[in-house]
Amino acid sequence: MAETISVMPVAASEVGAWDADTDVVVVGLGCAGASAALGAAEAGAEVIALERASDGGGASALAGGVIYLGGGTPVQKACGFDDTAEDMFRFLVAACGPDVDEAKVARYCDGSLEHFAWLVDHGVPFKSTFYADPVYEVLTDDGLMYSGGEEAWPFCDIAPPVPRGHCPQIEQRSGVLLMRGLLESVADAPIDVRSDTMVTRLVLDGDGAAVGVIARRFGVDMALRARGGVVVAAGGFAFNDDMLGQHAPWLVDERCYRLGTDGDDGRGIRMAQAAGAAVRHMDAAEVSAPAPPNLLAPSLLVNGAGQRFINEDVYHGRAGQAAMTRQDKEVYLVLDEEIFEANPSWLKITWAAGTVAELEADMGLPAGALRATVDVYDRHARDGHDPLFHKHPRWVRPLRPPYGAIDLRRGLYGVFTLGGLQTQVTGEVVDLDGDVIPGLYAVGRTASGIPAFGYVSGISLGEGTFFGRIAGRRAAARSA
Ligand SMILES: Cc1cc2nc3c(=O)[nH]c(=O)nc-3n(C[C@H](O)[C@H](O)[C@H](O)COP(=O)(O)OP(=O)(O)OC[C@H]3O[C@@H](n4cnc5c(N)ncnc54)[C@H](O)[C@@H]3O)c2cc1C
């Protein structure tokens, strides 16, 4: 049986002697932890950063690298897009809801331009070119993309559509470049990085304040004192089956492949819960659609009744959530040969037919159901409209024979968790009464941040780095 290490907090009075003493301890060196360590060090604090893997990076280094920024960044301006913090706020509140923490969104939007400059200063370059096609992630070195469905209904009516997905300049998934820049900055800063070191428990004083951590390195436990505070930036809980089963059972499905690392085991969340922390939105998750955005947008996504249920050009994670939560994953993509040929993907046609009637019979759908759907779609598509779901005219045209359908009932959904510790804008963790637990901070996917239930690509790396810096500075100030 695997060894279970307790997450229960240790009383400071039980710590015989501290093995190290510093201002701020940071747990985890992904994008949020690296930014917290830098934020604290730039504020003059002594920092120890503890990472359970042999090097920093975490899920952040595996990421597509899209960073959600706006309000008129130099890249947006150079690409000819006007943006404001107010429009960005309106969009994020709508797209990341329901139950968004508006104070966090406002702080994020107001600070976005300064944060862009901070990232550039920390070795993260952006090319001022726009990538126009809908994709999960840009694999060219272009610097800007639509990453949240800003152009899609209803969001295009809520705020003027503007691209805000900023991609570090490299011809591959660019999370690696973000983390290279941040980790090189960490290495250049007076930050004591200790890898292969897993934080297991918090140390609390008699008043319940976090004053340190217990960490294990190669089987040896050590106690580290943090005079200002402990910033927990240990990722989410996608790789913890028990937590998923308890909080987000809809993700426990062989069709959900988990995005992240072994470090997303939820320990950061649980050790804070054990110290009295509240959690929020624990059932929420990013769920990428089982078909890529370029193929999804011009096609019809239908359910087991042969009916559409969403505008297919919406952010792919929104389509994925709708397919999982509202259609129980019984979904099909209906298209024609021209659409299929023009949009290369890994998917293969399951059924092909000369008429929609033959197609629906081959698919085993109720007679007439798909025909009715395609009839209505085509009738309005001839005029370039989609009155049922308001797909953007760019993607709307009548289907033409030969027709095809892709069976997505066995399709794969890439998932990671969005829920976590309840925090204030400062990153301070609150307890079940809503009171701050002194000295305890959480950022990145360990915390419940801007995405409440909805998600937009780029917000994890964006808010992780942004609120990481704030929490690091705050903990540093507390130690002064
Ligand atoms: C394939 C993929 C593509 C993605 N694409 C994007 C994208 O384009 N844009 C975007 O915004 N998001 C994207 N995401 C999501 C994003 O990468 C994560 O949500 C984000 O990186 C989380 O950052 P973090 O700092 O909270 O966690 P992480 O980057 O995972 O860092 C947490 C660190 O903490 C360490 N750790 C964990 N527990 C402990 C412990 N007890 N003690 C010490 N250390 C510990 C881990 O080893 C890890 O290094 C993607 C994710 C994946 C996997």
Side-chain angles (χ1 to χ4, degrees), residues 175-192:
V176 70
L177 193 58
L178 168 70
M179 285 316 299
R180 192 188 301 160
L182 294 181
L183 292 176
E184 282 177 4
S185 299
V186 166
D188 290 344
I191 296 170
D192 178 358

Side-chain angles (χ1 to χ4, degrees), residues 28 30-32 51-52 58-60 63-66 199 233-234 259-260 263 444-445 458 460-461:
C31 72
E51 166 56 52
R52 63 177 258 170
S60 307
V66 185
V199 174
L259 299 173
R445 290 281 60 94
S460 288
L461 299 178

Side-chain angles (χ1 to χ4, degrees), residues 35 76 83 127 144 180 196 203 223 232 386 389 394 431 474:
S35 302
Q76 288 179 311
D83 194 14
K127 189 175 165 190
L144 188 64
R180 192 188 301 160
D196 297 307
V203 179
V232 187
D386 171 24
F389 294 99
R394 175 183 175 192
D431 66 16
R474 188 78 175 198

Side-chain angles (χ1 to χ4, degrees), residues 27-33 50-53 55-68 136-137 173 179 197-200 233-236 258-261 263-265 267-268 271 416-417 443-446 455-462 464:
V27 183
L29 259 186
C31 72
L50 305 170
E51 166 56 52
R52 63 177 258 170
D55 208 346
S60 307
L62 304 176
V66 185
I67 307 171
Y68 204 86
Y136 288 122
E137 321 168 325
R173 310 179 110 187
M179 285 316 299
T197 305
M198 182 170 85
V199 174
T200 55
R258 303 170 195 193
L259 299 173
T261 73
D264 292 305
D265 66 354
R267 176 169 286 272
M271 67 187 191
F416 57 84
T417 57
V443 287
R445 290 281 60 94
T446 302
Y455 188 78
V456 298
S457 276
I459 201 65
S460 288
L461 299 178

Side-chain angles (χ1 to χ4, degrees), residues 381-459:
R382 281 182 212 105
D383 302 324
H385 297 306
D386 171 24
L388 292 189
F389 294 99
H390 313 287
K391 182 151 74 174
H392 193 282
R394 175 183 175 192
W395 304 111
V396 176
R397 69 145 173 81
L399 297 187
R400 295 188 271 265
Y403 302 99
I406 298 172
D407 188 352
L408 295 177
R409 286 174 300 177
R410 308 298 308 161
L412 294 176
Y413 299 75
V415 303
F416 57 84
T417 57
L418 300 176
L421 298 170
Q422 188 169 343
T423 55
Q424 297 195 339
V425 169
T426 50
E428 291 165 287
V429 175
V430 301
D431 66 16
L432 296 177
D433 287 331
D435 295 326
V436 164
I437 300 177
L440 186 58
Y441 303 81
V443 287
R445 290 281 60 94
T446 302
S448 171
I450 288 177
F453 193 73
Y455 188 78
V456 298
S457 276
I459 201 65

Side-chain angles (χ1 to χ4, degrees), residues 125-436:
F126 298 95
K127 189 175 165 190
S128 291
T129 50
F130 174 57
Y131 188 91
D133 292 336
V135 284
Y136 288 122
E137 321 168 325
V138 168
L139 297 178
T140 64
D141 66 355
D142 293 301
L144 188 64
M145 66 182 287
Y146 279 103
S147 68
E150 294 83 351
E151 288 179 299
W153 185 86
F155 307 104
C156 56
D157 290 345
I158 291 169
V162 173
R164 301 192 182 92
H166 287 67
C167 313
Q169 186 179 353
I170 189 170
E171 288 187 18
Q172 61 176 75
R173 310 179 110 187
S174 49
V176 70
L177 193 58
L178 168 70
M179 285 316 299
R180 192 188 301 160
L182 294 181
L183 292 176
E184 282 177 4
S185 299
V186 166
D188 290 344
I191 296 170
D192 178 358
V193 175
R194 303 188 185 187
S195 53
D196 297 307
T197 305
M198 182 170 85
V199 174
T200 55
R201 308 164 77 166
L202 292 168
V203 179
L204 305 182
D205 71 10
D207 297 326
V211 293
V213 299
I214 304 295
R216 181 169 290 193
R217 185 164 200 268
F218 301 132
V220 178
D221 283 342
M222 62 191 97
L224 297 99
R225 180 165 177 240
R227 293 183 294 272
V230 176
V231 183
V232 187
F237 61 95
F239 285 74
N240 184 319
D241 289 339
D242 288 344
M243 285 180 80
L244 280 187
Q246 183 184 357
H247 299 290
W250 62 296
L251 303 178
V252 183
D253 186 306
E254 59 188 10
R255 287 165 288 181
C256 292
Y257 67 94
R258 303 170 195 193
L259 299 173
T261 73
D262 290 350
D264 292 305
D265 66 354
R267 176 169 286 272
I269 296 171
R270 287 189 308 134
M271 67 187 191
Q273 280 184 288
V279 290
R280 207 163 171 193
H281 301 132
M282 292 293 277
D283 59 336
E286 158 69 340
V287 177
S288 68
N294 58 323
L295 193 59
L296 207 47
S299 305
L300 307 193
L301 186 62
V302 303
N303 60 17
Q307 293 172 339
R308 294 173 69 213
F309 52 91
I310 199 163
N311 44 332
E312 294 85 355
D313 60 340
V314 79
Y315 171 59
H316 67 81
R318 201 167 191 85
Q321 277 187 347
M324 274 186 77
T325 59
R326 296 187 353 228
Q327 310 301 334
D328 198 22
K329 307 183 200 73
E330 189 177 356
V331 290
Y332 309 85
L333 205 59
V334 173
L335 67 179
D336 61 26
E337 187 176 49
E338 201 178 311
I339 292 173
F340 185 72
E341 295 296 332
N343 292 286
S345 79
W346 70 92
L347 293 167
K348 294 186 172 31
I349 293 287
T350 316
W351 302 278
T355 66
V356 177
E358 286 165 5
L359 188 67
E360 74 181 3
D362 292 349
M363 293 168 73
L365 296 180
L370 186 61
R371 263 179 293 167
T373 295
V374 176
D375 275 353
V376 172
Y377 183 78
D378 281 355
R379 180 183 310 167
H380 297 286
R382 281 182 212 105
D383 302 324
H385 297 306
D386 171 24
L388 292 189
F389 294 99
H390 313 287
K391 182 151 74 174
H392 193 282
R394 175 183 175 192
W395 304 111
V396 176
R397 69 145 173 81
L399 297 187
R400 295 188 271 265
Y403 302 99
I406 298 172
D407 188 352
L408 295 177
R409 286 174 300 177
R410 308 298 308 161
L412 294 176
Y413 299 75
V415 303
F416 57 84
T417 57
L418 300 176
L421 298 170
Q422 188 169 343
T423 55
Q424 297 195 339
V425 169
T426 50
E428 291 165 287
V429 175
V430 301
D431 66 16
L432 296 177
D433 287 331
D435 295 326
V436 164

